[in-house]
Amino acid sequence: MTTTTYVKHEVKDLSLAKQGQQRIQWAGREMPVLRQIQDRFAQEKPLAGIRLVACCHVTTETAHLAIALKQAGADALLIASNPLSTQDDVAASLVADYGISVFALRGEDNETYYRHVQTALDHKPNIIIDDGSDVVATLIQERQHQLSDVIGTTEETTTGIVRLKAMLKDGVLTFPAMNVNDADTKHFFDNRYGTGQSTLDGIIRATNILLAGKNIVVAGYGWCGKGTALRARGMGANVIVTEIDAIKSLEAVMDGFRVLPMDLAAPQGDIFITVTGNKHVIRQEHFEVMKDGAIVCNSGHFDIEIDLKSLKSLASDVRTVRPFTEEYRLHSGKSVVVLGEGRLVNLAAAEGHPSAVMDMSFANQAMACEYLVKNKGKLAPGIHSIPRDVDEDIARLKLQAMGIAIDTLTPDQVEYTNSWTSGS
Ligand SMILES: NC(=O)c1ccc[n+]([C@@H]2O[C@H](COP(=O)([O-])OP(=O)(O)OC[C@H]3O[C@@H](n4cnc5c(N)ncnc54)[C@H](O)[C@@H]3O)[C@@H](O)[C@H]2O)c1
């Protein structure tokens, strides 16, 4: 009898590995940029000897990032950045087929989630890839003695960057943090087109409702909000935007959307989507005036945008009517439907962003890790942009892979754009 020894892990069921591997391979078809980086990493081993922790949504796309990091020579350990986004078959395959340690279970409770954060820190990381900044925040609060091991962190999402800025302001961020979110090849595409499409995908999978003709209220007109509003309109919905920023509101108006405060949007909406990164954007006074059967969901990073506590206080009964779909029956006789427990609906009820956008986001992640190691000891503590040439290289590789050629400046144009003497 032979027994297989696996790397350290806590996943739901290793027998799901075969299905996971098939799905990982399928996603890879749309990830040519990361594949090229992975091939180079396999040759050059830029992360040799580096202990690396990645706290990401454990999806088919993240699998490709983890594989690339391992090929680069890193001793990588992966944990879930969200209790509802883990794809258990992918987690199984990473352990069984690729020898990568994963600690992630779909539906894990908060206690398990934070236990996994501790497991990640027990790995004594030199580099932390974070998504929402929970690992970095825990490290700083609870493991000061490990700070000297850390070369740096890379942050995937807007909310994580907001937290890193707060850490910097409080003087506790003692290592460099690469701002992957703000790379153009990340947020222009991932936040906008990725969140836009996958959020609607999550709503449709959870409810199977027709979007055409519905009033969809999008809270927040940042990158995710713009993509969500654009795609909802494309499906024939009447989109209402709510904002707190005057410039973004104006942009939404001129993009052709109705802009209203949430108080006025609440009675009109059929479906509400929050993408603000802020807390309690939909709260008691809004639930009270919503239409019977209104659907609310969130695609912002944390499950704080919808005040579920106040909704529970208004409800006499909560029942699950479909997977990821809960109906709150209110004392008033009306009902409000919540998708994915108010967590990222695109990851809870669908599969997260399509691979083609994660290709660029994770290309930035992989390049940011290499950059941190190459510049070890040279980068000041604080938040650093992804170098412009890396961003442009990723865009170029993506265009190349899509078979799209673009123009280059002629020498005459270079001279013209560099001179100030020739006017009208
Ligand atoms: N679902 C996903 O897969 C996914 C992907 C990327 C980012 N995110 C998350 O989505 C959230 C938004 O990201 P983004 O890149 O669009 O950020 P952003 O900063 O570009 O946009 C957020 C917008 O929300 C607005 N806002 C803040 N408070 C508000 C309130 N009370 N009411 C209405 N609007 C308000 C802000 O003015 C801003 O325009 C973040 O939490 C981010 O981490 C999720």
Side-chain angles (χ1 to χ4, degrees):
M1 196 181 84
T2 53
T3 43
T4 316
T5 321
Y6 295 110
V7 289
K8 293 186 291 186
H9 65 273
E10 188 177 343
V11 301
K12 194 152 277 170
D13 181 358
L14 284 179
S15 73
L16 298 172
K18 187 163 186 290
Q19 175 189 315
Q21 192 180 36
Q22 271 175 359
R23 293 183 53 245
I24 291 169
Q25 285 168 354
W26 174 254
R29 295 160 63 119
E30 291 266 285
M31 303 184 77
V33 178
L34 189 58
R35 190 166 53 245
Q36 288 189 48
I37 293 171
Q38 182 188 318
D39 290 346
R40 180 171 67 74
F41 277 8
Q43 299 289 318
E44 298 175 7
K45 303 281 177 207
L47 304 182
I50 297 292
R51 287 190 307 276
L52 187 149
V53 158
C55 177
C56 299
H57 300 292
V58 180
T59 62
T60 49
E61 294 79 21
T62 303
H64 285 279
L65 174 63
I67 294 163
L69 298 168
K70 188 175 179 206
Q71 295 271 318
D75 175 7
L77 180 146
L78 175 64
I79 64 167
S81 60
N82 183 295
L84 278 189
S85 61
T86 298
Q87 297 169 1
D88 289 318
D89 53 352
V90 171
S93 175
L94 281 173
V95 173
D97 302 319
Y98 300 96
I100 294 170
S101 282
V102 182
F103 291 79
L105 303 152
R106 190 176 183 87
E108 65 191 30
D109 57 18
N110 254 7
E111 196 193 318
T112 311
Y113 174 78
Y114 281 105
R115 182 164 54 75
H116 288 163
V117 171
Q118 294 295 342
T119 306
L121 291 173
D122 291 344
H123 192 57
K124 301 204 167 33
N126 307 123
I127 289 191
I128 298 164
I129 296 179
D130 224 347
D131 186 345
S133 213
D134 273 348
V135 177
V136 168
T138 310
L139 170 79
I140 289 173
Q141 288 173 96
E142 298 176 19
R143 304 259 190 138
Q144 284 280 320
H145 60 282
Q146 281 181 227
L147 288 176
S148 56
D149 290 342
V150 178
I151 297 173
T153 183
T154 68
E155 175 51 54
E156 172 76 6
T157 199
T158 314
T159 286
I161 297 298
V162 171
R163 290 180 88 188
L164 285 169
K165 284 182 181 159
M167 290 175 205
L168 193 61
K169 190 163 82 44
D170 284 351
V172 295
L173 186 63
T174 55
F175 46 79
M178 299 302 296
N179 184 344
V180 168
N181 183 69
D182 286 4
D184 285 353
T185 46
K186 199 279 182 180
H187 67 275
F188 277 7
F189 304 96
D190 167 318
N191 299 31
R192 182 166 39 173
Y193 303 115
T195 310
Q197 177 170 317
S198 61
T199 298
L200 297 193
D201 185 17
I203 294 169
I204 293 167
R205 290 197 206 193
T207 62
N208 194 31
I209 57 160
L210 182 75
L211 301 185
K214 295 284 193 308
N215 290 340
I216 297 191
V217 179
V218 177
Y221 201 65
W223 291 104
C224 295
K226 286 191 224 303
T228 305
L230 183 70
R231 291 299 177 244
R233 177 163 63 192
M235 294 291 283
N238 304 304
V239 178
I240 299 169
V241 168
T242 72
E243 251 298 343
I244 45 104
D245 180 291
I247 297 172
K248 301 271 178 62
S249 303
L250 199 54
E251 199 181 356
V253 171
M254 296 211 183
D255 285 345
F257 298 109
R258 284 176 73 202
V259 174
L260 291 175
M262 186 58 87
D263 285 353
L264 297 183
Q268 299 191 33
D270 299 300
I271 301 169
F272 295 80
I273 305 167
T274 54
V275 265
T276 69
N278 211 341
K279 71 183 285 202
H280 296 177
V281 176
I282 300 182
R283 48 188 184 268
Q284 179 158 346
E285 66 255 37
H286 305 131
F287 295 126
E288 282 169 345
V289 295
M290 280 182 187
K291 291 180 188 175
D292 182 24
I295 295 170
V296 296
C297 64
N298 166 52
S299 221
H301 188 76
F302 286 121
D303 59 342
I304 50 168
E305 305 211 12
I306 302 167
D307 180 7
L308 283 182
K309 207 165 155 202
S310 77
L311 181 59
K312 275 181 196 133
S313 75
L314 296 175
S316 52
D317 177 41
V318 185
R319 62 187 187 117
T320 301
V321 286
R322 289 168 59 93
F324 313 111
T325 308
E326 287 179 322
E327 184 186 46
Y328 287 68
R329 272 192 268 209
L330 310 191
H331 296 294
S332 65
K334 291 192 294 191
S335 73
V336 171
V337 174
V338 177
L339 307 184
E341 300 172 18
R343 297 187 189 277
L344 296 158
V345 70
N346 60 334
L347 282 139
E351 293 174 63
H353 291 173
S355 322
V357 290
M358 294 317 292
D359 187 27
M360 289 187 282
S361 307
F362 286 161
N364 275 291
Q365 283 287 6
M367 300 287 278
C369 292
E370 182 185 38
Y371 183 79
L372 280 172
V373 172
K374 270 194 181 152
N375 292 285
K376 182 180 170 186
K378 292 187 212 150
L379 298 169
I383 301 170
H384 297 261
S385 301
I386 298 293
R388 188 68 197 165
D389 56 332
V390 171
D391 215 351
E392 285 177 1
D393 273 353
I394 291 172
R396 229 171 268 123
L397 287 173
K398 190 72 176 174
L399 283 169
Q400 237 171 46
M402 295 166 91
I404 296 168
I406 60 169
D407 284 328
T408 45
L409 290 172
T410 63
D412 194 30
Q413 287 168 339
V414 172
E415 196 190 324
Y416 176 75
T417 51
N418 286 326
S419 89
W420 56 272
T421 47
S422 46
S424 54

